[in-house]
Amino acid sequence: MAEFTLELNDDQKQVRDWLHGFAADVIRPAASEWDEREETPWPVIQEAAKVGIYSLDFYAQQFFDPTGLGIPMAMEELFWGDAGIALSIVGTGLAAVGVLANGTEEQIGTWIPQMYGDVDDVKVAAFCSSEPDAGSDVASMRTRAVYDQAKDEWVLNGTKTWATNGGIANVHVVVAVVDPELGSKGHASFIVPPATPGLSQGQKFKKHGIRASHTAEVVLEDVRIPGHCLLGGKEKLDQRLARARERAASGGERVKNAAMATFEASRPAVGAMAVGTARAAYEVALDYAKTRTQFGRPIIDNQGIAFQLADMRTQIDAARLLVWRASWMATTGKPFTSAEGSMSKLYASENAKKVTAQAVQILGGNGFTREYPVERMHRDAAIYTIFEGTSEIQRLVIARTLSGMPIR
């Protein structure tokens, strides 16, 4: 078991510096353009693939870092560059995590490489869970998966929404209801292979922030997929459903569902994204405060500004520590007895909104214009308190964990 440490080792520092260089030299110069275009930045993803950042091997190396700090370190540096472009680069990872959390070894080996493609033919993947009437309330999910035993096929029908890379993905991972009577415990995850008939893109959303990341509805109309596309396999699903029915009948403890398993694995990573955006805004504000003069002196000489910057830096470091703790705990198999994963996302995401707002305020009128990046960073930061579990849901998870109530 890796010992907890606040010091990155030499290999981690080398990776961090490499990522920081890519974020500074490739992502940041392109950030404003793709934010305005509101399109997937394929040229930047291509560059990330060429240098090895957008690849299964890179994310596997970070995912299996024995300290648990590989993924949060990578997320922080990329999102320090720009949140929208970074999400386009890492968005496939959520679908990959869905397969890693629920799939067999054969499924992992078969589908995750197809999610990324290769340097000459870059692909993306999408994780599809939310629905128009089922966001935080996953028990209200309506997308159905019905097993056709004669053909050994699953038939999917429904509409997903807020799907990163939805409709443009090579591989879609779809969470659907297989047993409505079990509520959220009657869900399962499915792979929808490339070019499967019946899957189409619905509405593409024009967003407040992270505009370089493609977000859309995914419509499923009699989508037929082979039986082996059920993540984990049917035998495992039947066993899980049987246990859920027994627990429901006896009033016993509830079991986790497929979507929750994915989100629990990714929440500290989202916290790290928020840390990266907050840090970027803080650094812009700090540099501005050192060079902007009013009343004959730099504005950082005023306590009103200096104290804001002091608080911003303290809160960013505190958020990073919560993320690192949760990531280390997850990697070393320590249970989240106090919902430490949700704590890290809650604090880091709320802090990103606060810090980016303070950065805009420190820049004054300049901060309100698109001539300076803090305006974009403030818009981008709003998403962290919403996606992959709102702040309200994180508080609910934490409160129920502390009280011993079941997490639905």
Side-chain angles (χ1 to χ4, degrees):
M1 181 180 296
E3 295 295 328
F4 182 76
T5 176
L6 299 179
E7 180 69 24
L8 298 177
N9 60 42
D10 290 342
D11 289 341
Q12 290 169 327
K13 290 177 182 177
Q14 185 175 6
V15 172
R16 179 198 62 191
D17 294 345
W18 172 52
L19 291 170
H20 186 82
F22 183 84
D25 297 339
V26 180
I27 294 178
R28 279 205 169 177
S32 178
E33 174 189 353
W34 291 99
D35 177 72
E36 293 287 347
R37 292 176 62 168
E38 298 191 53
E39 297 174 358
T40 301
W42 290 108
V44 183
I45 299 175
Q46 185 83 33
E47 288 300 313
K50 287 180 180 178
V51 300
I53 293 174
Y54 187 77
S55 70
L56 173 60
D57 288 344
F58 172 74
Y59 286 106
Q61 289 175 11
Q62 305 315 309
F63 186 83
F64 291 110
D65 182 329
T67 70
L69 302 185
I71 289 293
M73 178 189 64
M75 296 301 104
E76 179 177 340
E77 294 304 327
L78 292 173
F79 280 74
W80 172 89
D82 176 69
I85 292 178
L87 189 56
S88 289
I89 294 173
V90 308
T92 294
L94 184 58
V97 168
V99 176
L100 285 169
N102 301 295
T104 64
E105 289 187 7
E106 182 179 358
Q107 289 170 331
I108 291 169
T110 298
W111 296 111
I112 293 184
Q114 294 187 48
M115 293 180 174
Y116 289 94
D118 55 45
V119 174
D120 298 321
D121 188 18
V122 170
K123 304 293 186 181
V124 295
F127 181 76
C128 307
S129 177
S130 294
E131 298 183 3
D133 296 320
S136 298
D137 182 12
V138 294
S140 297
M141 189 177 295
R142 295 180 180 178
T143 297
R144 287 297 307 275
V146 177
Y147 185 58
D148 183 341
Q149 187 171 1
K151 295 184 178 181
D152 186 25
E153 292 179 339
W154 289 90
V155 185
L156 276 60
N157 282 282
T159 299
K160 294 297 183 177
T161 193
W162 310 123
T164 298
N165 298 329
I168 66 171
N170 193 47
V171 175
H172 291 76
V173 177
V174 177
V175 182
V177 179
V178 294
D179 188 334
E181 294 183 0
L182 292 176
S184 62
K185 310 314 171 199
H187 297 175
S189 291
F190 299 85
I191 291 286
V192 180
T196 298
L199 184 147
S200 62
Q201 178 183 307
Q203 177 186 4
K204 177 186 175 183
F205 297 103
K206 297 180 73 68
K207 305 188 298 294
H208 175 67
I210 55 168
R211 301 197 305 193
S213 174
H214 176 97
T215 308
E217 291 180 330
V218 174
V219 181
L220 303 137
E221 297 179 309
D222 291 330
V223 173
R224 285 185 168 269
I225 57 175
H228 61 75
C229 288
L230 165 65
L231 289 179
K234 194 166 187 308
E235 182 179 353
K236 182 178 179 181
L237 172 65
D238 290 342
Q239 292 173 353
R240 178 168 63 80
L241 294 178
R243 291 195 299 270
R245 293 186 190 103
E246 290 176 2
R247 287 183 170 88
S250 63
E253 184 180 354
R254 298 175 182 266
V255 295
K256 297 177 181 177
N257 63 63
M260 286 297 294
T262 299
F263 290 138
E264 286 184 4
S266 63
R267 278 172 178 161
V270 176
M273 298 172 188
V275 171
T277 299
R279 186 182 120 214
Y282 158 76
E283 290 177 2
V284 173
L286 177 63
D287 290 343
Y288 186 87
K290 289 179 178 179
T291 57
R292 171 69 168 170
T293 59
Q294 289 286 279
F295 305 106
R297 62 181 182 179
I299 62 174
I300 198 172
D301 287 351
N302 300 312
Q303 282 190 350
I305 300 297
F307 283 8
Q308 282 191 73
L309 290 163
D311 286 344
M312 291 160 73
R313 176 59 187 268
T314 300
Q315 291 155 0
I316 290 166
D317 283 10
R320 182 184 298 109
L321 289 174
L322 284 171
V323 168
W324 281 19
R325 180 184 68 170
S327 300
W328 173 77
M329 289 177 68
T331 297
T332 55
K334 294 186 178 298
F336 288 168
T337 56
S338 300
E340 288 85 353
S342 289
M343 282 185 185
S344 69
K345 182 189 182 294
L346 171 65
Y347 186 84
S349 58
E350 291 288 345
N351 184 59
K353 286 181 64 175
K354 181 178 179 181
V355 167
T356 54
Q358 288 176 302
V360 170
Q361 189 69 24
I362 289 172
L363 269 68
N366 286 328
F368 200 65
T369 71
R370 295 188 183 181
E371 296 299 314
Y372 288 80
V374 292
E375 177 271 341
R376 184 180 68 252
M377 294 168 182
H378 184 44
R379 286 189 285 109
D380 291 342
I383 193 60
Y384 300 127
T385 63
I386 299 172
F387 73 176
E388 294 196 51
T390 63
S391 288
E392 292 75 18
I393 289 296
Q394 305 310 316
R395 292 185 175 99
L396 182 64
V397 170
I398 295 166
R400 286 184 169 174
T401 302
L402 298 177
S403 68
M405 294 175 62
I407 301 173
R408 295 175 175 83

PDB file of all heavy atoms in Angstrom, residues 79-91:
ATOM      1  N   PHE A  79      -7.055  21.352 -17.051  1.00  0.00           N
ATOM      2  CA  PHE A  79      -8.129  22.318 -16.850  1.00  0.00           C
ATOM      3  C   PHE A  79      -7.589  23.682 -16.450  1.00  0.00           C
ATOM      4  O   PHE A  79      -8.300  24.680 -16.585  1.00  0.00           O
ATOM      5  CB  PHE A  79      -9.145  21.776 -15.844  1.00  0.00           C
ATOM      6  CG  PHE A  79     -10.098  20.791 -16.457  1.00  0.00           C
ATOM      7  CD1 PHE A  79      -9.685  19.505 -16.783  1.00  0.00           C
ATOM      8  CD2 PHE A  79     -11.399  21.149 -16.749  1.00  0.00           C
ATOM      9  CE1 PHE A  79     -10.542  18.591 -17.378  1.00  0.00           C
ATOM     10  CE2 PHE A  79     -12.275  20.248 -17.345  1.00  0.00           C
ATOM     11  CZ  PHE A  79     -11.840  18.967 -17.663  1.00  0.00           C
ATOM     12  N   TRP A  80      -6.367  23.738 -15.979  1.00  0.00           N
ATOM     13  CA  TRP A  80      -5.686  25.021 -15.814  1.00  0.00           C
ATOM     14  C   TRP A  80      -5.533  25.683 -17.180  1.00  0.00           C
ATOM     15  O   TRP A  80      -5.626  26.913 -17.302  1.00  0.00           O
ATOM     16  CB  TRP A  80      -4.312  24.800 -15.187  1.00  0.00           C
ATOM     17  CG  TRP A  80      -3.447  26.022 -15.139  1.00  0.00           C
ATOM     18  CD1 TRP A  80      -3.383  26.956 -14.141  1.00  0.00           C
ATOM     19  CD2 TRP A  80      -2.486  26.436 -16.134  1.00  0.00           C
ATOM     20  NE1 TRP A  80      -2.458  27.929 -14.462  1.00  0.00           N
ATOM     21  CE2 TRP A  80      -1.900  27.634 -15.673  1.00  0.00           C
ATOM     22  CE3 TRP A  80      -2.071  25.910 -17.361  1.00  0.00           C
ATOM     23  CZ2 TRP A  80      -0.917  28.315 -16.409  1.00  0.00           C
ATOM     24  CZ3 TRP A  80      -1.106  26.582 -18.089  1.00  0.00           C
ATOM     25  CH2 TRP A  80      -0.533  27.765 -17.614  1.00  0.00           C
ATOM     26  N   GLY A  81      -5.347  24.871 -18.221  1.00  0.00           N
ATOM     27  CA  GLY A  81      -5.231  25.411 -19.570  1.00  0.00           C
ATOM     28  C   GLY A  81      -6.540  26.006 -20.049  1.00  0.00           C
ATOM     29  O   GLY A  81      -6.618  27.189 -20.392  1.00  0.00           O
ATOM     30  N   ASP A  82      -7.596  25.227 -20.055  1.00  0.00           N
ATOM     31  CA  ASP A  82      -8.938  25.698 -20.404  1.00  0.00           C
ATOM     32  C   ASP A  82      -9.915  24.572 -20.143  1.00  0.00           C
ATOM     33  O   ASP A  82      -9.684  23.424 -20.551  1.00  0.00           O
ATOM     34  CB  ASP A  82      -9.035  26.118 -21.873  1.00  0.00           C
ATOM     35  CG  ASP A  82     -10.447  26.516 -22.258  1.00  0.00           C
ATOM     36  OD1 ASP A  82     -10.920  27.568 -21.778  1.00  0.00           O
ATOM     37  OD2 ASP A  82     -11.090  25.765 -23.035  1.00  0.00           O
ATOM     38  N   ALA A  83     -11.028  24.884 -19.491  1.00  0.00           N
ATOM     39  CA  ALA A  83     -11.971  23.846 -19.089  1.00  0.00           C
ATOM     40  C   ALA A  83     -12.694  23.224 -20.274  1.00  0.00           C
ATOM     41  O   ALA A  83     -12.895  22.009 -20.323  1.00  0.00           O
ATOM     42  CB  ALA A  83     -12.981  24.415 -18.094  1.00  0.00           C
ATOM     43  N   GLY A  84     -13.122  24.040 -21.239  1.00  0.00           N
ATOM     44  CA  GLY A  84     -13.870  23.512 -22.372  1.00  0.00           C
ATOM     45  C   GLY A  84     -13.048  22.569 -23.221  1.00  0.00           C
ATOM     46  O   GLY A  84     -13.484  21.462 -23.564  1.00  0.00           O
ATOM     47  N   ILE A  85     -11.840  23.014 -23.590  1.00  0.00           N
ATOM     48  CA  ILE A  85     -10.970  22.165 -24.400  1.00  0.00           C
ATOM     49  C   ILE A  85     -10.534  20.938 -23.606  1.00  0.00           C
ATOM     50  O   ILE A  85     -10.508  19.814 -24.128  1.00  0.00           O
ATOM     51  CB  ILE A  85      -9.756  22.954 -24.907  1.00  0.00           C
ATOM     52  CG1 ILE A  85     -10.207  24.003 -25.932  1.00  0.00           C
ATOM     53  CG2 ILE A  85      -8.711  22.027 -25.519  1.00  0.00           C
ATOM     54  CD1 ILE A  85      -9.090  24.870 -26.464  1.00  0.00           C
ATOM     55  N   ALA A  86     -10.196  21.130 -22.340  1.00  0.00           N
ATOM     56  CA  ALA A  86      -9.765  19.998 -21.519  1.00  0.00           C
ATOM     57  C   ALA A  86     -10.866  18.950 -21.411  1.00  0.00           C
ATOM     58  O   ALA A  86     -10.598  17.743 -21.470  1.00  0.00           O
ATOM     59  CB  ALA A  86      -9.349  20.476 -20.136  1.00  0.00           C
ATOM     60  N   LEU A  87     -12.127  19.398 -21.279  1.00  0.00           N
ATOM     61  CA  LEU A  87     -13.217  18.429 -21.181  1.00  0.00           C
ATOM     62  C   LEU A  87     -13.376  17.667 -22.487  1.00  0.00           C
ATOM     63  O   LEU A  87     -13.727  16.474 -22.489  1.00  0.00           O
ATOM     64  CB  LEU A  87     -14.521  19.127 -20.812  1.00  0.00           C
ATOM     65  CG  LEU A  87     -15.689  18.200 -20.468  1.00  0.00           C
ATOM     66  CD1 LEU A  87     -15.320  17.245 -19.331  1.00  0.00           C
ATOM     67  CD2 LEU A  87     -16.930  19.003 -20.111  1.00  0.00           C
ATOM     68  N   SER A  88     -13.100  18.323 -23.612  1.00  0.00           N
ATOM     69  CA  SER A  88     -13.128  17.615 -24.895  1.00  0.00           C
ATOM     70  C   SER A  88     -12.044  16.545 -24.956  1.00  0.00           C
ATOM     71  O   SER A  88     -12.223  15.509 -25.580  1.00  0.00           O
ATOM     72  CB  SER A  88     -12.943  18.609 -26.050  1.00  0.00           C
ATOM     73  OG  SER A  88     -14.083  19.408 -26.220  1.00  0.00           O
ATOM     74  N   ILE A  89     -10.923  16.816 -24.304  1.00  0.00           N
ATOM     75  CA  ILE A  89      -9.815  15.860 -24.284  1.00  0.00           C
ATOM     76  C   ILE A  89     -10.091  14.705 -23.312  1.00  0.00           C
ATOM     77  O   ILE A  89      -9.800  13.545 -23.607  1.00  0.00           O
ATOM     78  CB  ILE A  89      -8.497  16.565 -23.925  1.00  0.00           C
ATOM     79  CG1 ILE A  89      -8.100  17.547 -25.044  1.00  0.00           C
ATOM     80  CG2 ILE A  89      -7.371  15.563 -23.680  1.00  0.00           C
ATOM     81  CD1 ILE A  89      -6.898  18.412 -24.710  1.00  0.00           C
ATOM     82  N   VAL A  90     -10.674  15.010 -22.164  1.00  0.00           N
ATOM     83  CA  VAL A  90     -10.835  13.976 -21.135  1.00  0.00           C
ATOM     84  C   VAL A  90     -12.254  13.415 -21.062  1.00  0.00           C
ATOM     85  O   VAL A  90     -12.500  12.470 -20.311  1.00  0.00           O
ATOM     86  CB  VAL A  90     -10.427  14.510 -19.738  1.00  0.00           C
ATOM     87  CG1 VAL A  90      -9.046  15.128 -19.786  1.00  0.00           C
ATOM     88  CG2 VAL A  90     -11.446  15.519 -19.198  1.00  0.00           C
ATOM     89  N   GLY A  91     -13.204  13.977 -21.834  1.00  0.00           N
ATOM     90  CA  GLY A  91     -14.594  13.543 -21.729  1.00  0.00           C
ATOM     91  C   GLY A  91     -14.795  12.072 -22.017  1.00  0.00           C
ATOM     92  O   GLY A  91     -15.680  11.431 -21.434  1.00  0.00           O
TER      93      GLY A  91
END
